[in-house]
Amino acid sequence: MEKTAGDSVLKVAMPKGRIYKQASKLFREAGLLIPEDFDDSRKLIIPVPEANMEFIMAKPVDVPTYVEYGVADIGIVGKDVLMEENKDVYELIDLGIARCRMSVIGLPGWKPVMYPRVATKYPSVASQYFREGGQQVEVIKLNGSIELAPLIGLADRIVDMVETGQTLKENGLVEMETLFQVTSRLIANRVSYRLKNQAIQELCDRLGQRIAARG
Ligand code: PRP
């Protein structure tokens, strides 16, 4: 999509749901005037003239797609999604929010088998991890409630996100290995980064200062 420097409003692909609340809080702390009444709104396109922005409320997994195609200049997305989707975008800063980890999980006392089945929402991440570890596995893609898979015999292990550990605890599962730590990142479209560089840099600076102050 063709862009011109005249498009001065920054279009921001925001993840709907729980990450949005953390992201909008961080933006506010960084001095951006984000109205609080949108926190529970179902509106999908939210003009934020006070901050010279427009929020595009996206399903988190779709944020890199909007940014890659340039319909959003920048976006907020988890490192988990970035690793899985592997889109052509710039990763600008680690926002330090939505902190969790990607782990291999299973039932306690699980015995290694020849060709284990691994259920996950992240087939690309999981395949790469086991391939690099020299383990042959069959990866089964699921879209949610991944913890069900070992409980009902669909898979031997799962690769999924752990935040508080509550889901594992309540379902009698244990973490076996951690693949990587996850936080949300600010990403940018490559062309927007050039054409709207000043606005994007200013935003990065404000957020960076706030993130450093948070520790
Ligand atoms: C995520 C993740 C785990 C859970 C971890 O699921 O896939 O199931 O949160 O959080 P916890 O360690 O704090 O319990 P999500 O709620 O996004 O729903 P899903 O099962 O549909 O993926």
Side-chain angles (χ1 to χ4, degrees):
M1 182 168 293
E2 203 167 308
K3 286 176 176 293
T4 66
D7 297 333
S8 62
V9 172
L10 215 47
K11 291 185 179 158
V12 188
M14 279 284 193
K16 279 194 294 186
R18 56 186 168 190
I19 304 175
Y20 176 75
K21 291 201 176 176
Q22 295 186 43
S24 59
K25 185 165 179 273
L26 176 65
F27 273 37
R28 278 186 208 110
E29 286 178 13
L32 294 150
L33 300 171
I34 312 296
E36 301 212 9
D37 47 338
F38 290 129
D39 281 13
D40 297 308
S41 165
R42 305 294 293 238
K43 227 169 132 62
L44 296 173
I45 300 175
I46 302 179
V48 192
E50 301 87 342
N52 208 21
M53 288 178 179
E54 181 179 89
F55 288 175
I56 295 158
M57 304 304 290
K59 194 174 160 79
V61 70
D62 292 331
V63 165
T65 304
Y66 294 115
V67 174
E68 183 184 49
Y69 278 87
V71 290
D73 298 304
I74 57 172
I76 292 180
V77 63
K79 186 69 180 174
D80 54 322
V81 173
L82 273 184
M83 300 279 282
E84 179 66 24
E85 297 293 317
N86 200 21
K87 299 286 188 191
D88 186 21
V89 294
Y90 286 133
E91 185 180 328
L92 300 179
I93 49 173
D94 182 347
L95 298 172
I97 56 171
R99 209 170 272 280
C100 48
R101 54 195 181 271
M102 181 77 74
S103 295
V104 180
I105 293 154
L107 284 163
W110 176 80
K111 303 263 185 321
V113 294
M114 196 62 164
Y115 192 48
R117 290 197 298 204
V118 177
T120 186
K121 255 194 286 194
Y122 305 91
S124 171
V125 164
S127 300
Q128 187 183 347
Y129 177 74
F130 288 107
R131 195 170 51 246
E132 286 174 358
Q135 278 181 274
Q136 277 207 319
V137 301
E138 178 187 348
V139 172
I140 301 171
K141 165 87 198 281
L142 291 177
N143 294 299
S145 300
I146 315 298
E147 291 83 357
L148 270 175
L151 300 178
I152 58 176
L154 176 65
D156 302 286
R157 284 183 277 175
I158 63 174
V159 169
D160 199 21
M161 304 274 278
V162 181
E163 189 180 355
T164 61
Q166 191 66 20
T167 309
L168 299 188
K169 200 170 156 205
E170 288 190 22
N171 292 288
L173 294 164
V174 290
E175 243 176 312
M176 298 165 153
E177 293 145 41
T178 299
L179 278 63
F180 50 85
Q181 301 293 324
V182 172
T183 45
S184 294
R185 310 297 162 104
L186 187 73
I187 59 170
N189 171 269
R190 291 182 180 275
V191 176
S192 299
Y193 187 70
R194 203 160 30 85
L195 292 179
K196 300 188 179 180
N197 190 267
Q198 195 182 340
I200 294 174
Q201 274 309 329
E202 269 175 35
L203 177 65
C204 286
D205 291 348
R206 276 171 175 241
L207 291 171
Q209 281 167 18
R210 188 57 216 149
I211 294 159
R214 274 182 168 191

